[in-house]
Amino acid sequence: MAKLRVGVVSPEREIWSGEADMVIAKTVDGEIGIMPQHAPVLGVLVEGGVLRVKREGEPELVAAVHGGFISVADDEVSVLAEVAELGSEVDVAAARDALDRAQASIEADQEDADAAVEAKRARARLRAAGEEV
């Protein structure tokens, strides 16, 4: 069966690369599932999204992805994230603390855009780590 070649990078580092059977990402136009022989596409990733990479016979790879782009062409998927973190790397206690701080800021000022972004990022990090949000 055909495979996808997948690369996930951020400005700081390469997050992950390898072969996969399916990639699922959330774009500003909605969630997209990519399998081999997918039509070419370029999408804008949402802030606070979760990327899932399915690999036959291996655990699903999950990453918190905050903004950026996804590009698909010729069975190659490139995820160029502004910020990304594998679920296995998430410090759950720190993410919960960040979410609590952001929610407190939002309660004090409903228009606090920075706190809203921080809350989205913290929720994504927790979801990527497999935690309930």
Side-chain angles (χ1 to χ4, degrees):
M1 181 172 156
K3 297 281 186 183
L4 296 168
R5 291 177 309 282
V6 181
V8 181
V9 298
S10 72
E12 293 83 31
R13 67 187 177 112
E14 179 180 68
I15 307 299
W16 183 84
S17 67
E19 289 190 338
D21 298 300
M22 184 175 192
V23 175
I24 302 167
K26 189 159 187 183
T27 71
V28 296
D29 295 321
E31 195 166 69
I32 184 171
I34 300 152
M35 295 179 71
Q37 299 179 359
H38 195 284
V41 67
L42 178 63
V44 177
L45 298 168
V46 297
E47 184 70 39
V50 175
L51 175 77
R52 298 184 182 285
V53 179
K54 297 183 180 275
R55 304 170 291 164
E56 187 177 328
E58 294 186 48
E60 181 178 75
L61 181 90
V62 184
V65 178
H66 312 293
F69 299 91
I70 185 167
S71 169
V72 180
D74 299 323
D75 287 341
E76 189 160 325
V77 179
S78 297
V79 177
L80 311 166
E82 291 175 22
V83 178
E85 183 177 14
L86 292 174
S88 60
E89 299 173 344
V90 171
D91 180 337
V92 173
R96 286 206 183 281
D97 186 50
L99 180 57
D100 290 343
R101 282 192 320 273
Q103 287 175 325
S105 293
I106 291 168
E107 287 174 16
D109 178 5
Q110 293 291 320
E111 311 240 340
D112 188 341
D114 291 337
V117 168
E118 184 59 33
K120 283 182 183 179
R121 287 185 175 200
R123 283 188 192 98
R125 292 179 71 222
L126 289 168
R127 285 193 315 270
E131 296 289 315
E132 293 288 323
V133 182

